[in-house]
Amino acid sequence: MEPTHHIFGQTRLKDIKKGDLVRWHTLIKEDSSGYKENVGIVTNVHIEHRGGRDVAMAKIIPLGSQSGAGNEIEVFLSCLKVISSSVIE
């Protein structure tokens, strides 16, 4: 029996696409409790080989003054929630 190829976060690949407005949470520094909600625009959805397996990732341009707007970041696809889907015509 051959091993099956799985991508970590594969179930989200059909839900998130380029141009979507998404949100995700990050932990706040140790001196505070809780988390911070972030918002951004997806510029690319791709699969990377990390830690010995394929992982679904998204490149995102964060929005907001304190998030370093204009700098692309990478976020694990399963951490994202779509606020508004892009419409491609």
Side-chain angles (χ1 to χ4, degrees), residues 9-55:
Q10 180 175 2
T11 57
R12 299 302 310 243
L13 283 171
K14 65 182 182 310
D15 300 331
I16 299 172
K17 60 190 176 301
K18 183 177 180 178
D20 286 351
L21 184 65
V22 294
R23 69 180 172 129
W24 70 99
H25 296 106
T26 53
L27 293 174
I28 296 176
K29 294 182 180 179
E30 292 178 25
D31 55 338
S32 301
S33 61
Y35 59 89
K36 175 185 172 196
E37 183 173 278
N38 304 285
V39 176
I41 300 170
V42 176
T43 60
N44 188 24
V45 175
H46 61 281
I47 298 167
E48 284 188 15
H49 194 73
R50 290 189 177 194
R53 63 179 167 186
D54 289 331
V55 180

Side-chain angles (χ1 to χ4, degrees), residues 52-81:
R53 63 179 167 186
D54 289 331
V55 180
M57 301 291 291
K59 286 191 178 182
I60 300 172
I61 296 177
L63 303 175
S65 59
Q66 296 178 346
S67 60
N71 297 325
E72 247 182 1
I73 61 169
E74 283 192 319
V75 178
F76 177 49
L77 225 54
S78 290
C79 292
L80 300 175
K81 178 167 176 74

